[in-house]
Amino acid sequence: MQRYFCCFLWCLTLYAYCVSAQTNELPYSKINLDNLNDFRPVANNWKIAGDVFYDFAKNGAGTTKSGTGIAVNDPSGKNKDHLFTKMEHGDMELELDFMMAKESNSGIYLQGRYEVQLYDSWGVKKPRTLDCGAIYERWDENRPEGRQGYEGHPPAQIVSKAPGLWQHLKIVFRAPRFNEKGEKTANARFIKVTLNDVVLHENIEVTGPTRSAVFQDEKPTGPLMIQGDHGAVAIRNINYKAYGIDPVALSKLHLSAYDGKFQSVDELKSLTPKREMDIDILAHLIPGSRDNFAGKITGTVHIPRSGQYLFNLNLRWIPTEVNANVRNGAGELKIAGKKILGVTTEDGGSSSTKVNLEAGDYPIELSYYKNFGLWYARSNDILLSVEGPGVEYTTLNPVIRAEDPVSEITVMAKAAPAMQRGFVNHHGKKHTHTISVGEPDLANYSVDLSKGEFLKIWRGDFLETTPMWYGRGETQLALPLGSVIELSGKPSLAFLADKNAAWPDSNATYNNLGYDVDKAGRPIFKYTLGTANVRESFASTDEGRKLSHTFTVTPATQDIWCRLAEGTDIVELPNGLYAINDKQYFIELPGKEKPVVRTTATNTKELLLPIKTGANSGTLTYSIVW
């Protein structure tokens, strides 16, 4: 998949801007997993549970705990039914969590016909059409031997987690289109497929049902199906938005343009326009109107269904940074003569509201003004976006600006570990003294060298460096290309008076001494904590399935503690591993070491283990498994 990047300050694409501007979206509909009543009758290979455990080292159906919220499939008996929703859908946006058993296989079938593959692809290096997140192939027995499968699309990269961990799948699907005679006029299309926050597919057309589809015909709607005849799988948090094909639409747009400086859109009521024109896009298109202008756009908005609608108005010449002393514009939107939202500098140029509307056509009026432009707010474009019942979040009548795409600049760890210095975002904060390290087997991490903080891990490709090396390199950010797990970011080591002492946010005695590079090309970080000398290193093990983390500490006056993990919950599993953050990742400890699991003042959980030093050096190694 060819990927492109456009530098934010100079050529931000409309699509990216519209996505970032989407706020306060309408809620998803939910499939109730308190029971199986939202599904068609199904055999007892499917049941509802409160928890499920799959051992990543063992095949099998796993174990469950009583409760609700998770649909679990165990096809080891005679029953191997698929699970069909009673709900039928056309266009759809779907999100769900799933958990695979070791070497298991399942699938999500849109309309019961078009499959996105669920598979235990943990540790796979080269994507195949059978791997997790693939759009599965079609099949024709009449084709030549070895070519019966066709039109399969492997995932862009492998970002699958270990069996027993929860993974997140998001699909945006466009159903096939038919004319009044029932003849197909457009194929089904996967607009976007995202696994563990990494985009695997965009705009993939499927010419017919994929292999093993229950329905071989094509229709405007069909049920959601979860495959049940191949392997053990657990599903939870099934949320969706179903869309119709009748959109919200603007028509009969007319622009009245004004010149001058303004303090309020109300001033336009008593003024005569300098120029008037019919338009078909939302923008102030008067030649020469860069600053000191106002406008009023009138027209008709078509509302296809009765219900609650979300409107978002964004005036792109107002900076997103809120500054009450810089009033360079404002705007307001009226529907049927009633003001439904306003935009000011204090809003950062963007505002949203929800309004209940009956189906029909309404007069619409959009008023705005701009007094001056800022160097980073060059566009006079207006973004009006809407979402509603059966209506996907859409930007209405936008200006489409042709930008020359810039090929993505990447750093990959191919034959040996790769190291890259740069800035890294962590929980919304930019860390400037960081190093990121990538392994050829797709396990990667970042640390803050100035503070001794372990920031994040990710599985998949290494780094995009376009924001660092293209043009002016404004942000200097190194962007992980794979599926990221952000860690707490506190120091990994600290002196504690006892096991109940609070973990510090920073270490006053931390002194960075740089790093050495071992024979394999991996860094060994060196620093002191008080009187202790520390050597810290990471290594990809088990073909990239695990990341080992090692500390070697020379003598100190008291024991140093290692903080292995922090999360909303930490649970010891039957196989001796510790599940962190609702089974987001595992911690594997050496031998029979017994850690301390404790609750913090902020009600999170911490996993601690002491490094015994005494007169000689002490060593601790644990592994992160995901």
Side-chain angles (χ1 to χ4, degrees):
M1 178 184 294
Q2 178 67 47
R3 293 177 293 207
Y4 295 101
F5 175 89
C6 288
C7 184
F8 177 82
L9 293 175
W10 301 109
C11 49
L12 180 68
T13 63
L14 173 65
Y15 176 78
Y17 192 93
C18 293
V19 170
S20 66
Q22 183 174 352
T23 57
N24 303 315
E25 66 179 19
L26 295 179
Y28 284 74
S29 298
K30 296 180 180 295
I31 299 293
N32 183 7
L33 292 178
D34 291 340
N35 48 55
L36 291 172
N37 293 343
D38 279 355
F39 300 93
R40 297 179 183 181
V42 67
N44 62 7
N45 56 301
W46 286 97
K47 68 178 181 180
I48 296 296
D51 195 13
V52 60
F53 167 70
Y54 297 134
D55 191 333
F56 70 74
K58 298 179 181 178
N59 295 74
T63 59
T64 61
K65 291 183 179 179
S66 61
T68 62
I70 304 173
V72 182
N73 178 44
D74 176 7
S76 60
K78 66 177 182 178
N79 293 317
K80 303 178 188 297
D81 277 13
H82 305 311
L83 190 63
F84 293 89
T85 60
K86 292 179 180 177
M87 173 272 297
E88 295 199 2
H89 69 89
D91 294 1
M92 169 183 267
E93 184 174 326
L94 173 70
E95 293 197 44
L96 57 82
D97 297 333
F98 68 94
M99 182 188 293
M100 304 302 298
K102 178 177 169 59
E103 298 182 1
S104 189
N105 181 351
S106 183
I108 304 296
Y109 284 76
L110 283 299
Q111 297 188 336
R113 296 175 173 89
Y114 315 100
E115 182 187 10
V116 174
Q117 175 83 327
L118 302 185
Y119 194 79
D120 173 20
S121 297
W122 188 42
V124 172
K125 302 301 182 295
K126 185 177 181 180
R128 305 160 295 178
T129 56
L130 59 79
D131 279 312
C132 196
I135 296 173
Y136 206 54
E137 65 187 7
R138 302 193 65 202
W139 190 264
D140 185 351
E141 291 286 358
N142 295 320
R143 291 168 65 95
E145 183 68 26
R147 295 174 56 192
Q148 292 98 329
Y150 63 102
E151 292 186 7
H153 297 271
Q157 57 174 306
I158 297 294
V159 292
S160 298
K161 291 187 177 183
L165 292 175
W166 286 113
Q167 308 190 60
H168 187 70
L169 179 68
K170 182 174 181 178
I171 301 169
V172 182
F173 173 78
R174 187 181 188 272
R177 299 296 196 250
F178 300 86
N179 62 21
E180 63 277 1
K181 297 179 182 179
E183 299 166 332
K184 188 172 70 168
T185 58
N187 289 320
R189 191 175 293 272
F190 286 94
I191 304 301
K192 183 178 288 190
V193 177
T194 305
L195 175 61
N196 298 327
D197 297 322
V198 176
V199 176
L200 301 184
H201 304 282
E202 287 189 281
N203 202 30
I204 299 295
E205 186 177 34
V206 283
T207 60
T210 56
R211 188 178 184 183
S212 300
V214 174
F215 310 115
Q216 293 303 313
D217 61 348
E218 293 188 277
K219 291 186 176 181
T221 63
L224 186 68
M225 185 192 101
I226 305 170
Q227 192 174 41
D229 63 348
H230 278 40
V233 66
I235 307 287
R236 69 177 187 182
N237 296 333
I238 308 175
N239 300 316
Y240 69 92
K241 293 181 181 181
Y243 302 125
I245 60 174
D246 189 9
V248 173
L250 296 177
S251 61
K252 303 176 183 177
L253 296 178
H254 184 80
L255 168 63
S256 299
Y258 307 82
D259 293 339
K261 288 184 175 292
F262 301 89
Q263 293 299 315
S264 169
V265 294
D266 291 336
E267 297 175 38
L268 305 185
K269 297 176 181 178
S270 60
L271 298 177
T272 300
K274 295 292 185 181
R275 185 171 177 180
E276 297 189 67
M277 60 187 297
D278 293 332
I279 59 175
D280 56 10
I281 57 177
L282 288 181
H284 195 84
L285 297 177
I286 306 300
S289 295
R290 179 177 178 83
D291 302 316
N292 300 322
F293 66 79
K296 181 183 294 184
I297 298 174
T298 58
T300 300
V301 60
H302 172 68
I303 302 298
R305 292 180 180 81
S306 300
Q308 187 181 65
Y309 285 79
L310 166 74
F311 285 88
N312 176 269
L313 176 61
N314 188 286
L315 304 180
R316 293 191 60 182
W317 57 82
I318 299 178
T320 55
E321 297 85 357
V322 177
N323 186 342
N325 297 318
V326 181
R327 294 188 60 84
N328 68 322
E332 71 174 28
L333 177 67
K334 292 182 179 180
I335 295 180
K338 180 181 178 181
K339 178 181 175 180
I340 66 167
L341 65 85
V343 173
T344 66
T345 303
E346 287 77 10
D347 301 318
S350 179
S351 181
S352 297
T353 191
K354 295 175 183 176
V355 59
N356 289 311
L357 294 170
E358 296 295 322
D361 294 338
Y362 296 86
I364 189 170
E365 180 181 300
L366 174 59
S367 302
Y368 54 88
Y369 70 87
K370 176 186 178 183
N371 287 334
F372 57 89
L374 300 174
W375 70 271
Y376 51 86
R378 301 179 172 195
S379 171
N380 288 341
D381 296 349
I382 300 163
L383 298 182
L384 178 61
S385 303
V386 63
E387 180 184 9
V391 176
E392 186 177 5
Y393 188 89
T394 306
T395 299
L396 303 175
N397 297 57
V399 177
I400 304 299
R401 299 194 180 279
E403 305 283 1
D404 292 331
V406 176
S407 294
E408 184 181 64
I409 304 171
T410 61
V411 176
M412 299 293 186
K414 294 183 178 180
M419 294 182 285
Q420 181 60 53
R421 299 292 299 270
F423 296 172
V424 169
N425 270 338
H426 177 258
H427 292 311
K429 180 182 178 182
K430 183 183 290 186
H431 290 244
T432 58
H433 295 74
T434 65
I435 186 170
S436 297
V437 182
E439 295 273 358
D441 47 20
L442 308 181
N444 316 282
Y445 66 93
S446 294
V447 297
D448 188 324
L449 297 175
S450 66
K451 301 176 181 178
E453 296 174 352
F454 186 17
L455 300 179
K456 62 180 69 178
I457 56 174
W458 66 97
R459 181 169 306 288
D461 293 340
F462 185 35
L463 286 177
E464 179 191 354
T465 54
T466 321
M468 297 169 58
W469 296 338
Y470 174 72
R472 295 173 58 180
E474 293 288 341
T475 67
Q476 289 295 304
L477 283 172
L479 304 176
L481 288 170
S483 176
V484 176
I485 296 175
E486 290 209 342
L487 307 175
S488 67
K490 292 184 178 180
S492 296
L493 302 181
F495 294 105
L496 298 182
D498 56 59
K499 66 179 182 180
N500 298 312
W503 197 265
D505 291 328
S506 61
N507 269 324
T509 63
Y510 172 85
N511 181 33
N512 176 32
L513 300 177
Y515 56 89
D516 296 329
V517 179
D518 67 13
K519 293 181 180 180
R522 299 185 179 103
I524 302 172
F525 305 109
K526 304 181 296 182
Y527 52 91
T528 59
L529 283 181
T531 59
N533 288 286
V534 181
R535 292 174 68 85
E536 178 182 358
S537 60
F538 298 82
S540 176
T541 62
D542 195 11
E543 298 183 333
R545 295 179 176 90
K546 304 176 183 179
L547 185 68
S548 69
H549 193 183
T550 299
F551 301 90
T552 301
V553 182
T554 53
T557 56
Q558 64 186 101
D559 289 339
I560 291 180
W561 287 78
C562 179
R563 188 171 179 264
L564 309 173
E566 180 187 17
T568 55
D569 65 355
I570 295 177
V571 178
E572 185 176 7
L573 300 174
N575 58 2
L577 273 66
Y578 289 82
I580 314 299
N581 258 347
D582 190 21
K583 297 180 182 175
Q584 184 185 33
Y585 63 97
F586 299 131
I587 293 293
E588 183 179 61
L589 298 178
K592 298 182 179 180
E593 294 281 0
K594 199 68 177 175
V596 173
V597 180
R598 66 182 193 175
T599 303
T600 70
T602 57
N603 208 34
T604 61
K605 299 291 186 180
E606 288 180 324
L607 189 68
L608 306 183
L609 200 62
I611 303 177
K612 303 291 186 180
T613 55
N616 300 310
S617 64
T619 299
L620 169 66
T621 298
Y622 72 95
S623 292
I624 304 169
V625 184
W626 84 104

